[in-house]
Amino acid sequence: QLQLVESGGGLVQPGGSLRLSCAPAGGTLGSYIIGWFRQAPGKEREGVSCISSGGSITEYTDSVKGRFTISRDNAEKTVYLQMNSLKPEDTAIYYCARGRTWGRRSCTFQDSEYVYWGQGTQVTVSS
């Protein structure tokens, strides 16, 4: 059973930056897509960003385009979500998840494609 661990969350003022990390507790992320999702209080979970197994294809939800950047390291041990120009509406618990299909070339925000989920890290944007 793969365990994913998110880190890097915290309290930041509007306009600030955070970098979230997603790493497996043992092993590597392998050639699977990785997605970042978030859930704000009283709202449904939504896809924020995802990256293909090879790292060449990325997707972003419209509200974060131009502000967030997803990346994965060459050793496939960590996926990052760089978040700049943060807004209060970015406040949520952020989760990373690993896909189920080895070598998938594109990524998706469909929950059904993801098998393993982390516990989440809280991001709060407030002055």
Side-chain angles (χ1 to χ4, degrees):
Q1 182 82 5
L2 180 68
Q3 291 183 321
L4 300 177
V5 180
E6 302 97 337
S7 61
L11 172 64
V12 64
Q13 292 186 342
S17 298
L18 286 173
R19 188 177 78 159
L20 305 184
S21 299
C22 172
T28 69
L29 297 173
S31 294
Y32 297 94
I33 65 171
I34 301 297
W36 280 100
F37 296 78
R38 66 186 179 187
Q39 187 165 21
K43 295 186 176 181
E44 292 187 353
R45 186 170 62 195
E46 66 168 341
V48 175
S49 182
C50 60
I51 188 166
S52 63
S53 59
S56 61
I57 297 173
T58 58
E59 299 285 349
Y60 300 92
T61 192
D62 287 346
S63 63
V64 308
K65 286 180 180 178
R67 300 188 298 122
F68 290 12
T69 302
I70 191 171
S71 62
R72 63 196 301 165
D73 73 359
N74 292 334
E76 304 292 348
K77 291 185 177 179
T78 306
V79 171
Y80 303 99
L81 184 67
Q82 178 68 43
M83 306 187 297
N84 299 328
S85 302
L86 283 161
K87 304 176 181 180
E89 50 264 43
D90 294 318
T91 295
I93 299 175
Y94 284 70
Y95 302 89
C96 68
R98 200 210 77 179
R100 68 172 66 246
T101 305
W102 178 271
R104 179 174 174 137
R105 295 183 179 180
S106 61
C107 65
T108 176
F109 291 145
Q110 291 183 339
D111 283 10
S112 59
E113 175 57 30
Y114 294 90
V115 179
Y116 300 107
W117 294 78
Q119 295 294 314
T121 185
Q122 175 71 47
V123 172
T124 303
V125 185
S126 175
S127 55

